[in-house]
Amino acid sequence: MEDNYILGLDIGGTSIKAGIVNQWGGIKSFQTIPTNSHQGPDHVLAAINTLIQSYQGQKLINGIGIALAGSIDNKAGVCIYSPNLNWRNIAIGKIIEESTGLEVRLINDANAACLGEYFFGAGRNQNNIICIIIGTGIGSAIILDNKLFTGNSGLAPEAGHMVLIKDGPQCSCGGKGCWETLVSASAIVKRVAEKSKSGTYTISPHTIQDIFKAWQAGDCQVVKIMTEVKEYLALGLANLVNIFDPECIVLGGGIIELDSGLTEGLEDMVKEFVFPSFKDTLLIRKAELGNKAGLVGGASLFLKESELNE
Ligand SMILES: [Zn+2]
């Protein structure tokens, strides 16, 4: 087989990651640059073009696969809305095709990370997987019978917005008590800050790293919060298992990578809430591709085209 090199990009609110991906999912020349989304779409697009130019000429690139944090019309190559980037209706596919002369394919970043893990990472050799990425919020993606499930609108799933507590904490979506208001990094930081401010707790960690350190050190106030966080994490995962009966859940994202103990014993906790028939086969795995899953998944739109279109 002839070498097939695809440039993979992962455009997030904080950083843009890029690398050349080969047909086995191997990455060469990985780079990351700040997004600086506050400078506006034109500035970000110019920075992306400069980044792409640095790759053109290195290898014969056959296409550009882009994972982007937001709602995507992948057929039209348009970012419909991205709160992280503050973009609305940006025809990024066409813009980059015109500036590079290469074909561009676009996908939502959670779906991209899921495809990356499905083809080349922790979800290999599985037919039904759920990928949950926990960072500032919760990204989610589902592969059913080897196909991405994107619902009626093409924008599903939004597992982070399943409601676990009626009238719970306010969510960025306008709702209350969504899963991501209970277990995301920002939710945990907010919760600890509120407890500290109200004088309920004496702890004063400000970042998720500080909180996890205090948790590992056995700080009983943080342990109390994190025990609840972990229960809600397990509850949400169990709800998904009860609906989709996946072979495997792949967990990734910043707070999973911190290796804090969040995943320790989690499989057993999830099984406590799971329908009996699904208990024996369920696997929970940590993502293997780390922060490169998105760009690899973007590249897989070309590299695994035949399997995706089967
Ligand atoms: Zn929500």
Side-chain angles (χ1 to χ4, degrees):
M1 191 195 274
E2 235 175 75
D3 286 341
N4 186 11
Y5 294 108
I6 300 299
L7 180 60
L9 290 178
D10 185 354
I11 304 171
T14 314
S15 67
I16 300 168
K17 301 173 197 87
I20 296 175
V21 186
N22 67 22
Q23 64 252 44
W24 301 282
I27 304 162
K28 284 221 168 77
S29 312
F30 177 74
Q31 286 188 65
T32 174
I33 61 167
T35 310
N36 292 327
S37 56
H38 61 279
Q39 295 179 342
D42 289 346
H43 177 93
V44 177
L45 287 164
I48 291 167
N49 268 323
T50 307
L51 183 65
I52 293 170
Q53 277 161 17
S54 76
Y55 285 97
Q56 286 189 302
Q58 274 191 41
K59 285 235 189 287
L60 194 62
I61 294 168
N62 295 315
I64 302 175
I66 300 179
L68 202 147
S71 305
I72 305 296
D73 179 339
N74 49 5
K75 285 201 181 83
V78 173
C79 167
I80 300 164
Y81 176 51
S82 168
N84 302 36
L85 293 162
N86 201 16
W87 282 12
R88 273 181 200 278
N89 295 316
I90 304 282
I92 177 170
K94 199 170 156 219
I95 293 168
I96 295 181
E97 277 181 355
E98 278 173 5
S99 63
T100 62
L102 289 165
E103 188 186 346
V104 173
R105 294 179 190 171
L106 207 58
I107 185 170
N108 161 270
D109 59 348
N111 284 341
C114 188
L115 284 183
E117 294 290 341
Y118 167 73
F119 285 122
F120 303 110
R124 278 188 305 274
N125 306 320
Q126 314 282 344
N127 305 312
N128 297 280
I129 71 169
I130 295 178
C131 190
I132 301 293
I133 312 285
I134 311 174
T136 313
I138 293 183
S140 54
I142 298 173
I143 288 177
L144 295 178
D145 295 333
N146 305 299
K147 291 272 172 263
L148 267 178
F149 166 78
T150 57
N152 179 47
S153 64
L155 305 174
E158 283 293 350
H161 299 282
M162 72 171 130
V163 179
L164 291 190
I165 302 180
K166 184 176 176 284
D167 298 326
Q170 182 67 47
C171 183
S172 60
C173 74
K176 283 181 175 176
C178 298
W179 196 25
E180 78 170 34
T181 69
L182 303 166
V183 306
S184 64
S186 50
I188 296 168
V189 170
K190 197 174 158 200
R191 178 108 186 265
V192 170
E194 277 169 3
K195 292 274 186 192
S196 304
K197 210 172 154 191
S198 69
T200 317
Y201 288 178
T202 53
I203 42 174
S204 58
H206 295 298
T207 66
I208 192 75
Q209 286 87 350
D210 292 338
I211 294 167
F212 281 1
K213 267 186 208 151
W215 185 23
Q216 276 161 347
D219 181 307
C220 58
Q221 295 169 331
V222 174
V223 168
K224 196 175 166 202
I225 290 178
M226 289 309 302
T227 302
E228 256 185 59
V229 167
K230 212 164 153 175
E231 279 169 3
Y232 282 120
L233 175 60
L235 196 56
L237 293 174
N239 286 342
L240 293 170
V241 171
N242 286 344
I243 300 169
F244 295 106
D245 180 25
E247 290 150 286
C248 176
I249 292 177
V250 179
L251 283 184
I255 71 171
I256 301 297
E257 280 166 32
L258 281 172
D259 203 23
S260 55
L262 206 57
T263 53
E264 237 177 75
L266 185 65
E267 205 172 275
D268 289 335
M269 289 175 71
V270 173
K271 284 180 179 174
E272 278 182 38
F273 300 114
V274 160
F275 188 69
S277 317
F278 307 150
K279 274 187 213 275
D280 295 340
T281 49
L282 176 68
L283 285 174
I284 296 181
R285 289 191 182 148
K286 277 196 195 179
E288 289 177 8
L289 303 181
N291 66 357
K292 300 183 181 72
L295 78 90
V296 171
S300 77
L301 296 177
F302 289 90
L303 298 168
K304 296 289 182 182
E305 186 177 14
S306 53
E307 287 174 58
L308 287 166
N309 292 330
E310 258 168 26

